[in-house]
Every structure is written in structure tokens, then in C-alpha cells.
Amino acid sequence: AGKDLSKTGWGMKWDFIVVHESGHEWFGNSVTAKDIADNWIHEGFTSYSEVLFTECEFGKEAGNDYCEGVKKSIDNDIPVIGNYNVKNEGSGDMYNKGSNVVHMIRQVMNDDEKFRNLLRDINKTYYHQTVSTQELEAFINTKTGINFSPVFDQYLRTTQVPKLEYKLTKKKLSFRYTNCISGFNMPVKITTDKTVWIHPTTEWQSITLDKVYKTVSLDRNVYVDLVK
């Protein structure tokens, strides 16, 4: 339709309807939500197929650009998951926020081959079946060996955008999450003149840096606000 949802230019290089609706053959038509409250399973994963297509055709950073672009359209009006058993869909953010949830799962896994296998395993296990968020969440936790429940709770069941607060004191970097659920603990990558993983929680933690820095940057591939 002559539009690029990401406003990055990458979406003008392929046909949205062809890519998005083809993605529904996997998520929506094969793996189907039991309740429309969980329609992010259809739309979040299918929207992420747009990211994967962009990456496949134009490279990983192009896919990251696209995902970053659609992130800016997230409204955070109501939770992505709606109310169960009453024909109630959640927020329209099920598309772009749902896609970013899948992207963050990929970042935390930090192994693209394992991530691709996870998508295949979901489709093999739930082939032509209906599934709930709770079932999918438990499946992903088991398959990856990582507890993603705080990520599901934070991004699908609330409208809060976590803030990563940090302080720099000489060679010490202190950090914690705020504006988030109790127990939120998603690991993220930060960069000074090199990139390292940190594992923030809602409690202050500190690491020692190799020299004094005035600022740090946060990996753009997570939906977290960095606050000094």
C-alpha cells in the first residue's frame, strides 16, 4: 500500500501483505490461540516474520533497523493480552510490541541457531493445535532453559516500559530496573568502548569497569528506557 510501518525505508523493499499474511500460515493458521485474548501469538510472531524477512534479504542490521522502527509505534494503551473467556482482544500493540517480545527472547537466548530451532519446535509441537500464552510461555522456558516469565509478565500483561537506571562513579557502574514488575530481571548488553552483558534486577548492583566513562549505551534490541 505504499507504506513502510517501520519508517526506516526497509519496508518499501518488499510487499507487506505478501510477507505478513504468508507468516500467518505458521502463526495463526497452524499454531492458533485458544482465546482471542492471546491473539498476540498470531500477530506478534507473524509481525516478527517481517523482521526475519528483512534480515534474510538485506542483513541482520537491516532487520534490527526494522524492529527498532516499529517499536516507535507502540502505544502502551492497554495490556497486549486481553481478558479471557469474554471475547476480548488485547491492545493493537499485539503486532509491534509482540514482535519486540519475540526479538527480546532472541537477544537473551544469544544464539540464533537455537532461536530458529525454537520457532520450528513451536510449530512441530503445536502443529494444527490451539495454544494459550501460559502453555507457550512454559514451553519456551523449558526449551531454552531460561525463565522468560518475567518478560511475558512485563511486556504482555502490563503497559509499563522498564527503565534501566544507572550511575557512574569513577570506574564503578551501578544499575537497576524501575517502572517494572517485582522480579523483572532481563539481561541486557551495554556498551562503553566494548560490549558486555549485565544482569539487572530491581535492586542496585554494581560492576567495575576498566576505566572511567561518562556515559554508557544500551543495546537497541530491547524495549527498555535507559535513564542516568
Side-chain angles (χ1 to χ4, degrees), residues 101-118:
V101 167
V102 179
H103 195 52
M104 286 186 287
I105 289 171
R106 178 183 179 182
Q107 306 314 306
V108 174
M109 289 179 68
N110 198 30
D111 187 319
D112 283 351
E113 185 59 29
K114 288 183 179 178
F115 174 73
R116 285 191 291 270
N117 285 333
L118 174 65

Side-chain angles (χ1 to χ4, degrees), residues 36-94:
I36 65 169
D38 283 333
N39 268 0
W40 81 275
I41 295 171
H42 300 190
E43 302 300 353
F45 280 89
T46 296
S47 292
Y48 196 65
S49 71
E50 301 161 25
V51 177
L52 294 175
F53 183 85
T54 304
E55 177 179 337
C56 181
E57 292 295 306
F58 306 105
K60 191 166 188 176
E61 286 308 305
N64 290 343
D65 286 345
Y66 187 87
C67 198
E68 176 75 7
V70 299
K71 184 194 300 180
K72 296 174 182 176
S73 299
I74 297 171
D75 292 323
N76 289 309
D77 50 351
I78 58 174
V80 169
I81 295 176
N83 297 310
Y84 293 106
N85 304 314
V86 289
K87 286 192 174 182
N88 175 247
E89 274 194 329
S91 171
D93 285 342
M94 68 178 75

Side-chain angles (χ1 to χ4, degrees), residues 145-163:
I146 301 169
N147 181 17
F148 282 106
S149 292
V151 173
F152 278 73
D153 287 343
Q154 182 68 52
Y155 292 101
L156 301 180
R157 300 182 176 110
T158 82
T159 59
Q160 295 172 301
V161 180
K163 295 179 180 179

Side-chain angles (χ1 to χ4, degrees), residues 11-30:
M12 297 299 291
K13 297 180 181 295
W14 43 267
D15 188 280
F16 172 81
I17 292 299
V18 171
V19 173
H20 184 89
E21 302 307 333
S22 295
H24 274 309
E25 294 304 316
W26 286 267
F27 288 95
N29 295 349
S30 180

Side-chain angles (χ1 to χ4, degrees), residues 171-187:
K171 292 184 179 180
K172 185 172 78 170
L173 171 66
S174 302
F175 49 85
R176 70 172 180 179
Y177 279 127
T178 60
N179 196 45
C180 60
I181 62 167
S182 175
F184 185 65
N185 61 353
M186 184 175 68

